[in-house]
Amino acid sequence: MASLTPKIARFLLIAATLICAIGMIGPFKGAERHLISVDKAAHFIAFYGLTLLTIAAFPKRRSFDLACMVLMFGVAIEVAQMLSGRGAQLGDILADAAGVAGVLAPMYLQRLRSPPIVERRQRLIDKLPVS
């Protein structure tokens, strides 16, 4: 069952990536305003979700590396918008980065709270009975 979760996450990631790419590059300029009134909020929500799905789809990869790839996707979308005649905005990239950071920040704060793996292993070894 544990291997089923990344497979489902990968399927959802592909679907979400296609939806975001088509929505951001395609002829649907301003269509997100029907769902969310602020463009930057739509970027934040989209990249928050893409980052969550990417990390769930590839659990053995480093979260920071995956988040950088998601952010590079956001930059690529803005470059594609610029080349296709739509307006590219630095604010959109910052909103994308905020969505990615919204996923990473709690993960890193949790890591600061928990002791390193070496320390946890040593605690377990110390608790073992001596024979």
Side-chain angles (χ1 to χ4, degrees), residues 35-59:
L35 298 173
I36 301 168
S37 63
V38 180
D39 178 50
K40 304 308 180 242
H43 278 268
F44 178 89
I45 293 168
F47 280 84
Y48 185 90
L50 286 175
T51 305
L52 283 176
L53 285 173
T54 303
I55 291 171
F58 302 101

Side-chain angles (χ1 to χ4, degrees), residues 21-71:
I22 291 168
M24 292 179 190
I25 298 173
F28 309 109
K29 184 176 182 178
E32 72 274 357
R33 295 192 193 277
H34 296 291
L35 298 173
I36 301 168
S37 63
V38 180
D39 178 50
K40 304 308 180 242
H43 278 268
F44 178 89
I45 293 168
F47 280 84
Y48 185 90
L50 286 175
T51 305
L52 283 176
L53 285 173
T54 303
I55 291 171
F58 302 101
K60 294 183 180 180
R61 305 244 183 204
R62 288 179 17 162
S63 301
F64 183 77
D65 294 343
L66 294 172
C68 286
M69 287 192 306
V70 172
L71 190 55

